Amino acid sequence: MPKKILVHLGAFAASIAVLWGALMLTLLIPKEKIYDNMLKSAEGYGSLAAYSFESGNRLNGIADNYADAILLNIILCMDGGDPLRGSLDTRYYSGGEMGVNWGLYAAVNGELPDTDYSRYWHGSAIFIRPLLLFTDVNGIKAVGFGAVSVLTAAVCFLLIRRKQYFGAAALIFSLLSVQFYNVRLSMEYIPMFILSLAMCICFICFEKKGDMALSILSVICGTAAAFFDFLTAETLSILLPLILVMIIRKQENRLGSLRENIILSAKCGGGWGAAYGGTFIMKWALASAVTGENKFISALSSAEVRLSGEAEELPFFKQLFLSPLANLSTMFGGESRVDGGRVAVCLLLTVLVFGGVYLIFRKKTHDRDFAVIMLILGAVPYLRYLVLSNHSYLHEFFTYRAQAAAVLALCAAVWFGTELSDSKKPRKLSRKKAARRI
């Protein structure tokens, strides 16, 4: 057991070292080299609202110009003369009453940063800063979505190669259900989809190596999720790969028992969660040490708001109830934060569609164990909405995308949740016995 713990700690430390080192290296790119494209980007944001609707009035089609302007502002203000401090003491110029879009333009023209934002790593600078040598923000978004598209195709290719036709189709359906193509509207939304799909590839390629390999990958995944993301749809990075692994093992009759899969989920989820939280703590600790300021105070204050803050003067428990509904509403094209009609229609449609598939195409014996583990994993995004109810309610226009994992799990629970009659059903093997057959 101690040896396994050391291996996981080593994976965490190595991930931090590689990612942080890459971030510091990108700061060596001189600001004057990216000035023209940064200015062009700033001028483009100057004429945009903080949030603009790109798909009618639907909240799932919002372009988050506010988040992108801050991200570019931070990348610009990172001090390349001192990469160590610049990678940790992340700040931006707020723009005062004029707003952050104008603040980006002012920062490009020499205004000094006045707002601390050290609670996040802002790791996407690793890719964005070099890309600014060649293109502006619109080109960066195009490159990012191109990467998402290529990785999606690669995951489907691997699944189809292993004759996992349902897995490939269900993955595409789950991504379409959350309008994954709209991540192209904001740079801040793209990294989590790139990471999630890249981890799907890793999990698929290494799942036959055993559960230990998957738990180590989960640690790497949790570290990268905290490094690149700012609470958009972070649970996708562990849930999509894990659900696909279980679909593959179910199809190949080496899934094992419910107990084995609960243990696997706990190991992977626990490793992911520990690495995710540890990466944030590492940022705050390193930034505090380098700057001499206590970065934990502002970070923990922000965390407290996301956990127990009240949005729009709503009582906390009402917000707690509404946050999952807001995310459901947005997934189904709601034009208000909680569109009651959309919520009712989506729930009814879900029951009718999946109930119809269940009754028409699948019969007889019910595989309870697989359905249970799928429903457990599929419920995680909604647990996240409850735990971070303030954040999930206010920012449902991007947190709703975490439901891609719930859709994938529900599809799998329905499709594989029933089997043929007992006389035709293959004997279920434990994972160890199944591994011997590979």
Side-chain angles (χ1 to χ4, degrees):
M1 183 63 69
K3 183 178 179 180
K4 291 182 178 179
I5 293 174
L6 287 175
V7 170
H8 287 78
L9 288 174
F12 171 70
S15 300
I16 288 284
V18 170
L19 293 171
W20 185 23
L23 180 58
M24 285 192 284
L25 280 176
T26 62
L27 300 190
L28 299 179
I29 298 172
K31 287 184 180 180
E32 55 268 22
K33 294 289 186 180
I34 63 174
Y35 177 82
D36 289 343
N37 283 317
M38 186 67 83
L39 178 61
K40 186 177 179 181
S41 301
E43 289 173 342
Y45 280 117
S47 60
L48 297 174
Y51 304 98
S52 55
F53 289 85
E54 305 294 330
S55 301
N57 292 319
R58 294 193 295 273
L59 295 178
N60 58 32
I62 282 181
D64 195 342
N65 306 313
Y66 179 88
D68 281 356
I70 290 179
L71 177 59
L72 287 173
N73 204 324
I74 288 169
I75 291 171
L76 178 70
C77 293
M78 285 178 168
D79 185 6
D82 185 354
L84 178 64
R85 187 184 183 99
S87 64
L88 296 170
D89 189 20
T90 43
R91 300 172 179 271
Y92 68 95
Y93 178 63
S94 65
E97 295 181 357
M98 299 291 289
V100 295
N101 284 20
W102 183 85
L104 171 60
Y105 180 81
V108 172
N109 286 282
E111 286 288 348
L112 298 177
D114 62 357
T115 303
D116 182 81
Y117 213 15
S118 297
R119 61 179 178 268
Y120 298 118
W121 276 95
H122 308 289
S124 54
I126 291 175
F127 306 107
I128 295 173
R129 196 174 176 103
L131 285 172
L132 283 167
L133 291 169
F134 310 101
T135 186
D136 66 351
V137 66
N138 293 320
I140 293 170
K141 290 177 185 177
V143 169
F145 184 65
V148 171
S149 302
V150 169
L151 287 170
T152 302
V155 175
C156 290
F157 172 77
L158 289 175
L159 291 169
I160 292 170
R161 188 180 180 186
R162 293 180 62 167
K163 299 182 179 180
Q164 296 289 333
Y165 306 116
F166 166 77
L171 176 65
I172 293 295
F173 178 73
S174 67
L175 293 176
L176 289 173
S177 71
V178 296
Q179 301 82 36
F180 83 106
Y181 42 83
N182 279 339
V183 299
R184 74 191 192 283
L185 299 176
S186 176
M187 291 186 300
E188 282 278 23
Y189 302 163
I190 293 173
M192 185 46 60
F193 276 80
I194 290 177
L195 175 62
S196 300
L197 293 164
M199 293 311 301
C200 285
I201 293 173
C202 293
F203 271 59
I204 292 169
C205 291
F206 287 96
E207 65 91 13
K208 286 186 178 180
K209 298 292 184 181
D211 293 355
M212 178 72 168
L214 297 183
S215 64
I216 292 172
L217 284 173
S218 299
V219 170
I220 297 170
C221 176
T223 305
F227 193 84
F228 288 110
D229 192 50
F230 77 125
L231 298 175
T232 60
E234 64 287 345
T235 54
L236 278 181
S237 62
I238 184 63
L239 291 177
L240 285 184
L242 193 55
I243 293 170
L244 285 178
V245 164
M246 292 192 179
I247 289 173
I248 290 170
R249 290 179 173 180
K250 170 67 177 175
Q251 181 79 28
E252 297 178 356
N253 194 34
R254 30 186 204 88
L255 181 66
S257 67
L258 176 61
R259 180 176 178 275
E260 286 176 313
N261 290 304
I262 288 177
I263 291 173
L264 172 61
S265 299
K267 286 180 178 178
C268 291
W272 181 93
Y276 185 82
T279 303
F280 278 111
I281 292 171
M282 184 69 75
K283 171 65 188 292
W284 306 335
L286 290 170
S288 297
V290 168
T291 64
E293 303 172 16
N294 189 340
K295 299 293 186 179
F296 282 87
I297 295 175
S298 60
L300 292 176
S301 175
S302 174
E304 182 182 6
V305 170
R306 281 151 179 74
L307 287 167
S308 59
E310 295 182 357
E312 299 179 346
E313 299 182 354
L314 284 176
F316 174 73
F317 287 105
K318 186 174 182 180
Q319 173 187 278
L320 194 70
F321 172 74
L322 290 177
S323 61
L325 297 183
N327 283 271
L328 274 171
S329 172
T330 301
M331 182 169 69
F332 279 80
E335 297 183 0
S336 59
R337 182 157 277 137
V338 182
D339 189 327
R342 298 278 183 171
V343 173
V345 169
C346 84
L347 293 176
L348 178 61
L349 184 63
T350 301
V351 171
L352 291 176
V353 170
F354 289 99
V357 171
Y358 177 87
L359 292 173
I360 295 171
F361 295 104
R362 316 302 266 173
K363 300 177 181 179
K364 300 180 181 179
T365 307
H366 184 65
D367 186 348
R368 176 180 175 274
D369 288 358
F370 184 74
V372 167
I373 194 64
M374 286 295 101
L375 293 176
I376 289 173
L377 293 175
V380 171
Y382 300 101
L383 178 61
R384 186 263 197 223
Y385 296 151
L386 293 174
V387 172
L388 298 175
S389 61
N390 174 271
H391 184 268
S392 302
Y393 180 75
L394 286 176
H395 302 296
E396 89 295 337
F397 54 89
F398 56 73
T399 62
Y400 85 94
R401 295 188 177 99
Q403 293 172 105
V407 173
L408 180 61
L410 183 57
C411 288
V414 170
W415 188 255
F416 290 110
T418 55
E419 297 180 327
L420 300 175
S421 64
D422 289 335
S423 62
K424 297 181 180 180
K425 184 172 61 175
R427 184 167 59 89
K428 185 181 292 185
L429 302 175
S430 71
R431 187 156 310 140
K432 290 183 179 179
K433 290 182 179 180
R436 295 193 195 108
R437 293 194 172 188
I438 299 174

